Amino acid sequence: MPTIQKLPVTIAILGFAFVAYRGAQFGAAQYVLASFIGLLGGIALYHASFGFTGAWRRIVTERRGVGLRAQVLLLGLTALFTLPMIAWMGAGGFYQPLGLALVAGSFLFGMGMQLGGGCGSGTLFTVGGGSTRMVITLTFFIIGSMFGVAHRGWWFDLPGFERVRMVQDFGILPALLITLALLAAIWFASVVIERRAHGSLEKGRATDNILTGPWSPWLGAIALAVVGIATMYVLNRPWGITQAFSVWGAKVAHGAGYPIDDITYWRVSERQVERSVFASTTSLMNFGIMLGALLASGLASRFAPVWRLTRMETATAVAGGLMMGFGARLSGGCNIGAYLGGVASGSLHAWVWAFFAFGGSSLVAYLRMPRPPAMAQPA
């Protein structure tokens, strides 16, 4: 068992106590629970190294699909609980129109995932785990979100189709069957691709220790499904991440004197900027994720920030953050809010988002693949 790093563990515990206390001042038990759910999410994300970016890259560049199948498990388990909650308990969902904003935003987000080195959840847990490069990605993710908010009105005025809510439009049983059938197709496709390339399936890492990690991708998927289901139960909505980024950016801009009132989005959502970040359950969950990852890294004795970055690492972090922030605001979120949250809501936009985000991710992953050196031509 690794030696526990006391400093990051202490900071994480004290930080979480502060976040939970501040949340309790605005929403009592519900807000404290949101903070705790986020903490669990950060621990699970870190110990399982669970992300969408690496799994999507591996299926393209290595033809390995264990990470993709873990995502299917996460999505399927979450939907099995959240779709009935929407149908029978009146829980809310995330739904987006099917238009060019969704297509362009998700494709741009997918490209940014590979350049920035993480997705919405991946950025948060790696920042909490001590990645200085991802601090840059997160900073420019927030800046990109501000640009996205400023331009989203033009994009949403373009032609498109209405939202499709499968539970409400088709009924709970068809919604479940359609969702599970699509997930089964992804699972089967990953198996076929991997077997054709390697002849067998990669088993994936086993769980070593619950407290200190690492976890298997399957345990990570189950734990994150609990996070998604608990979020729906406690907050009456799916798990989301990136909407808070645009609020954080707007608060900084507003404090610096930037006239955000000129932006239609903030005229409608002015209260979000004026209120404390601790009055937002999304922000509380995000703080919980970062602190949970910090706690997990200290327990695993792996908190070791790298302070020197190459110019290329910095440039790709900046570009990836801007692209993800802008794309998330056009497409209604990231891999968590738009994809997981959309699937958990029975929204068709989630599948459109996943298709184009995977396309953008695959394009950049393919272009960045190392190429074998060219063979010398005989004289």
Side-chain angles (χ1 to χ4, degrees):
M1 183 174 178
T3 302
I4 294 175
Q5 293 174 293
K6 293 181 180 179
L7 181 60
V9 169
T10 301
I11 293 173
I13 293 172
L14 293 177
F16 177 73
F18 175 76
V19 168
Y21 169 73
R22 293 289 285 135
Q25 292 181 311
F26 292 97
Q30 186 185 45
Y31 281 45
V32 174
L33 285 173
S35 306
F36 182 78
I37 293 168
L39 186 80
L40 172 61
I43 294 171
L45 286 163
Y46 185 88
H47 277 333
S49 298
F50 199 101
F52 287 70
T53 305
W56 286 9
R57 181 174 59 247
R58 288 198 74 202
I59 194 66
V60 172
T61 61
E62 302 175 37
R63 300 295 190 266
R64 289 294 190 185
V66 64
L68 193 59
R69 291 189 289 277
Q71 292 174 20
V72 169
L73 178 62
L74 162 62
L75 292 160
L77 285 176
T78 304
L80 278 174
F81 286 86
T82 57
L83 294 185
M85 291 167 71
I86 290 173
W88 300 328
M89 298 173 58
F94 290 163
Y95 309 98
Q96 291 293 325
L98 308 178
L100 291 175
L102 175 62
V103 170
S106 55
F107 191 83
L108 190 65
F109 187 93
M111 295 176 67
M113 286 169 63
Q114 296 301 331
L115 290 173
C119 46
S121 56
T123 300
L124 286 178
F125 92 77
T126 47
V127 166
S131 172
T132 50
R133 180 179 184 273
M134 295 306 283
V135 172
I136 298 174
T137 299
L138 177 60
T139 300
F140 284 90
F141 202 136
I142 293 170
I143 294 172
S145 297
M146 288 295 294
F147 283 112
V149 165
H151 291 88
R152 74 195 303 268
W154 182 85
W155 284 92
F156 275 79
D157 287 338
L158 296 175
F161 300 95
E162 291 298 321
R163 299 169 176 83
V164 177
R165 303 173 173 89
M166 289 193 288
V167 172
Q168 296 88 337
D169 295 342
F170 308 144
I172 179 61
L173 184 57
L176 276 171
L177 291 176
I178 292 170
T179 299
L180 295 178
L182 289 169
L183 291 172
I186 296 173
W187 184 293
F188 179 74
S190 75
V191 168
V192 171
I193 291 170
E194 188 167 355
R195 285 195 185 278
R196 285 181 177 177
H198 302 284
S200 61
L201 299 181
E202 183 181 27
K203 292 182 179 180
R205 181 183 58 245
T207 297
D208 185 22
N209 186 292
I210 294 292
L211 183 63
T212 63
W215 292 3
S216 74
W218 313 112
L219 178 58
I222 293 168
L224 292 174
V226 171
V227 169
I229 296 163
T231 302
M232 182 72 87
Y233 182 78
V234 172
L235 302 180
N236 203 46
R237 62 158 174 84
W239 181 12
I241 287 177
T242 60
Q243 190 272 343
F245 294 173
S246 59
V247 175
W248 298 351
K251 290 179 74 67
V252 173
H254 185 58
Y258 183 83
I260 64 171
D261 291 343
D262 295 342
I263 301 173
T264 302
Y265 182 88
W266 293 122
R267 285 203 301 271
V268 175
S269 308
E270 184 178 358
R271 286 190 61 197
Q272 295 184 55
V273 179
E274 298 294 340
R275 296 175 69 194
S276 166
V277 292
F278 298 104
S280 162
T281 53
T282 303
S283 290
L284 290 172
M285 286 190 67
N286 287 352
F287 296 149
I289 290 171
M290 289 187 284
L291 291 168
L294 176 61
L295 176 62
S297 68
L299 291 173
S301 193
R302 294 205 301 267
F303 185 79
V306 176
W307 299 106
R308 292 186 178 181
L309 301 173
T310 66
R311 291 182 179 179
M312 180 59 70
E313 288 173 331
T314 303
T316 53
V318 169
L322 288 172
M323 293 168 78
M324 285 193 289
F326 193 90
R329 294 284 47 87
L330 295 189
S331 60
C334 63
N335 53 295
I336 296 297
Y339 189 23
L340 175 60
V343 171
S345 306
S347 177
L348 184 60
H349 91 273
W351 301 103
V352 177
W353 189 96
F355 180 84
F356 285 99
F358 183 77
S361 171
S362 299
L363 174 63
V364 174
Y366 176 78
L367 292 176
R368 300 186 77 192
M369 282 178 62
R371 300 291 189 267
M375 296 181 62
Q377 299 295 323

